Amino acid sequence: MDFQEYEGIFRKYKDIFQKYEDFFNREKYPKFSLESYLPMDEEVCVCLIGKHYKDCCKKKLDEAIKFRKENFKLVEEELNQLYFQKDSKLISHKIEEKSVNKKSISYCSAHEVFGDCNHDDSIVHSHTLSRGNVLNNLSSGNKVIRFNDHKVPDVETLEKEISKFYSEVPIRKASVTVSFCEKHDEELFADIEKDGNTDYSGTSIQNIEYSLKAITFDIYYRIMNIFYMAELISENKYATCNSDGSQSEYFRNYHNSVKTLFRLHPLMLKMLNELKQLKKQEVESELETIYFELPVDRINLSLSEVIEFEDIFCYVNVINSKKPYIIVSYYKDRKRIISIDKLKQQYESCNDKNKQLFYLWNFIKELLINAINIYFNKTAFNKLSDAAKVYLYIVHREGIADIPFEWQDIHDAEIMGILYETSS
Ligand SMILES: [Zn+2]
Ligand SMILES: [Zn+2]
């Protein structure tokens, strides 16, 4: 395949996904059986070109399952070629490049609620981490560190080549999406971005603005992921099955991505509506916010992310706004999040600074496991031993379930030491 001329899926659905109304139209995405997770025959095909599944990829995929069972070795070789290419040739990389840099996935998130957007052409690259409070305050030499989301190889390879699993990015390229027009990107985040407004004081309006950063990132990322799935099926017809012909996680993951996208969309609208009213001082926000002011000068990581706790979507931000804060917001439709309330209580009733930081650490580890939109200070990160970097990567990619406690304790202490920074 000639990757130089890669237009991939973006050429195919240029007419189908053009504007906000397209990206947030449930009818443009496939539907799946809730028992088997197989795509429904009379709904849009997983390749997203708009035809019904049964008239599009179904036959090809069914045949691929049969072929894979009978030609095990041949298929594995083909797949290895596809998955072990240089970064720049991986489908995920190409999709990100096209979506963000070339703006193939672009819309203004405020379109439906605020309206009156700048003309389409002015959809800008926006930072889903606030530029001042988060990125500038986190960076050293205008650079930050992020995880490279490769599959985790064996630990030996990871140890030998650990530098490949992190990259250094200039802050102008960190955490970028194309999800606001220029006007709304400026207007909507005035209370956390504008000079003089950058101190965090826990106002409703600030909490909503930070939450909006988190949810708009997550939604953009999910749409990108769905497009990745659509492209994967075009390049690798074996993606839907395991080597023995059984069903892989593909359809299930696809189903979950679409489902989550359309669970998050109304929450984003609710947030935008509240923000609109709040700017006119007309309402109380229903958003529940719990924040932790850290007893250190700085925290050497930042993130803005939607993470589920106790089946409720939470909008989590870690920032350095003069003081460092962890801010967790959510809409409590039915209930409060007990584990976070407990943590807050424990945290507030404790006078020992080190104990406080220790309590928070388990929560931060939870964030490390779940976050995608997460960045580290470069100078601090470079102080970590290679062993700690390996550990951090495994925690991020696979969680802590398989890591022995002693190993966790040793590395946690080292990582805490560099993430929590005090000048004295
Ligand atoms: Zn298709
Ligand atoms: Zn707009």
Side-chain angles (χ1 to χ4, degrees):
M1 190 175 308
D2 187 2
F3 288 102
Q4 293 303 310
E5 288 174 21
Y6 179 80
E7 280 294 328
I9 196 157
F10 292 104
R11 174 183 283 160
K12 284 179 259 164
Y13 56 46
K14 223 166 68 193
D15 301 328
I16 303 172
F17 291 92
Q18 281 187 337
K19 48 185 196 294
Y20 179 93
E21 286 87 349
D22 302 324
F23 289 103
F24 295 102
N25 179 353
R26 180 66 186 87
E27 299 305 313
K28 303 238 170 183
Y29 298 90
K31 289 183 182 149
F32 299 84
S33 148
L34 293 180
E35 287 108 51
S36 62
Y37 294 106
L38 288 172
M40 290 176 168
D41 281 354
E42 306 283 336
E43 301 288 342
V44 171
C45 182
V46 284
C47 71
L48 293 180
I49 64 164
K51 285 201 252 172
H52 284 170
Y53 179 59
K54 75 166 177 12
D55 304 321
C56 192
C57 295
K58 184 178 184 181
K59 199 164 164 237
K60 175 182 97 177
L61 295 178
D62 286 347
E63 279 166 9
I65 294 177
K66 228 179 123 218
F67 187 83
R68 185 168 190 176
K69 262 198 274 192
E70 287 158 11
N71 301 274
F72 176 76
K73 264 200 111 168
L74 203 73
V75 173
E76 293 315 298
E77 271 167 36
E78 202 180 310
L79 289 182
N80 279 344
Q81 274 185 8
L82 189 71
Y83 283 119
F84 294 95
Q85 306 180 74
K86 277 198 203 139
D87 281 5
S88 61
K89 291 191 171 178
L90 291 173
I91 303 172
S92 55
H93 184 91
K94 288 185 287 182
I95 296 283
E96 198 177 329
E97 177 73 18
K98 266 274 172 188
S99 314
V100 179
N101 293 355
K102 304 259 162 66
K103 300 187 180 182
S104 289
I105 300 180
S106 74
Y107 52 84
C108 176
S109 305
H111 169 81
E112 198 172 333
V113 175
F114 281 78
D116 201 16
C117 287
N118 281 137
H119 189 262
D120 276 356
D121 292 343
S122 75
I123 307 280
V124 290
H125 290 122
S126 49
H127 290 274
T128 48
L129 287 169
S130 120
R131 180 130 186 166
N133 276 342
V134 178
L135 289 171
N136 285 342
N137 292 346
L138 181 71
S139 73
S140 39
N142 279 324
K143 298 250 174 79
V144 286
I145 301 286
R146 75 162 187 190
F147 291 109
N148 276 339
D149 281 330
H150 295 301
K151 267 192 187 155
V152 178
D154 53 282
V155 174
E156 213 171 285
T157 314
L158 199 56
E159 276 167 353
K160 244 190 281 171
E161 310 194 42
I162 188 60
S163 62
K164 279 193 187 161
F165 294 86
Y166 295 92
S167 34
E168 204 177 287
V169 280
I171 54 173
R172 75 186 154 76
K173 289 192 117 182
S175 172
V176 172
T177 62
V178 204
S179 52
F180 283 103
C181 72
E182 195 170 6
K183 174 175 143 188
H184 289 130
D185 190 40
E186 248 186 67
E187 259 178 39
L188 265 48
F189 301 103
D191 286 71
I192 56 175
E193 293 275 26
K194 253 202 197 122
D195 288 343
N197 282 341
T198 51
D199 263 2
Y200 180 70
S201 49
T203 63
S204 305
I205 222 168
Q206 284 180 331
N207 289 333
I208 289 207
E209 289 183 11
Y210 275 117
S211 298
L212 192 59
K213 288 264 179 200
I215 200 168
T216 50
F217 167 81
D218 206 280
I219 285 176
Y220 190 86
Y221 187 85
R222 255 167 235 284
I223 293 176
M224 222 158 51
N225 194 45
I226 291 167
F227 282 35
Y228 166 80
M229 303 274 226
E231 181 64 7
L232 185 62
I233 211 75
S234 323
E235 285 203 20
N236 167 18
K237 56 183 186 289
Y238 306 112
T240 66
C241 59
N242 300 316
S243 53
D244 63 355
S246 61
Q247 199 175 318
S248 72
E249 292 291 294
Y250 175 86
F251 289 131
R252 199 193 180 102
N253 290 341
Y254 202 136
H255 163 79
N256 282 336
S257 287
V258 177
K259 190 173 125 192
T260 310
L261 172 62
F262 286 95
R263 275 176 72 203
L264 286 170
H265 182 229
L267 290 164
M268 178 183 89
L269 294 180
K270 183 177 167 91
M271 231 178 251
L272 285 160
N273 270 311
E274 280 195 352
L275 184 60
K276 193 176 175 187
Q277 301 303 321
L278 271 169
K279 295 218 176 222
K280 294 188 229 153
Q281 293 177 329
E282 279 173 8
V283 289
E284 293 274 304
S285 164
E286 282 176 34
L287 198 69
E288 192 71 31
T289 296
I290 292 168
Y291 65 83
F292 301 88
E293 185 185 316
L294 275 61
V296 288
D297 294 331
R298 184 167 132 124
I299 179 159
N300 281 317
L301 76 84
S302 289
L303 62 90
S304 182
E305 194 91 17
V306 178
I307 294 176
E308 277 188 90
F309 292 103
E310 299 176 20
D311 295 324
I312 297 176
F313 286 124
C314 292
Y315 316 104
V316 186
N317 284 271
V318 178
I319 63 166
N320 286 289
S321 161
K322 284 216 171 132
K323 295 228 165 133
Y325 294 92
I326 297 175
I327 309 162
V328 186
S329 301
Y330 62 98
Y331 285 113
K332 58 165 205 317
D333 292 335
R334 291 155 290 125
K335 55 169 193 168
R336 295 188 60 85
I337 301 176
I338 298 163
S339 56
I340 296 177
D341 281 346
K342 264 196 187 149
L343 178 66
K344 176 76 175 174
Q345 218 176 21
Q346 205 177 23
Y347 188 81
E348 296 286 299
S349 62
C350 173
N351 294 321
D352 182 338
K353 217 170 92 171
N354 288 326
K355 259 196 188 148
Q356 276 188 318
L357 290 171
F358 184 76
Y359 289 147
L360 275 186
W361 179 244
N362 280 326
F363 186 68
I364 292 177
K365 257 170 117 173
E366 198 69 26
L367 303 180
L368 284 168
I369 294 168
N370 288 293
I372 298 154
N373 196 21
I374 178 170
Y375 293 85
F376 299 95
N377 171 275
K378 191 177 127 189
T379 315
F381 179 82
N382 287 341
K383 287 184 196 151
L384 283 178
S385 66
D386 280 0
K389 287 178 191 166
V390 168
Y391 167 76
L392 184 62
Y393 195 80
I394 295 175
V395 169
H396 172 63
R397 294 292 293 164
E398 307 202 314
I400 53 174
D402 294 331
I403 308 179
F405 285 120
E406 312 86 75
W407 202 38
Q408 291 190 39
D409 288 345
I410 295 170
H411 294 310
D412 284 355
E414 183 183 345
I415 295 170
M416 264 193 275
I418 72 111
L419 283 185
Y420 296 144
E421 189 168 310
T422 34
S423 50
S424 53

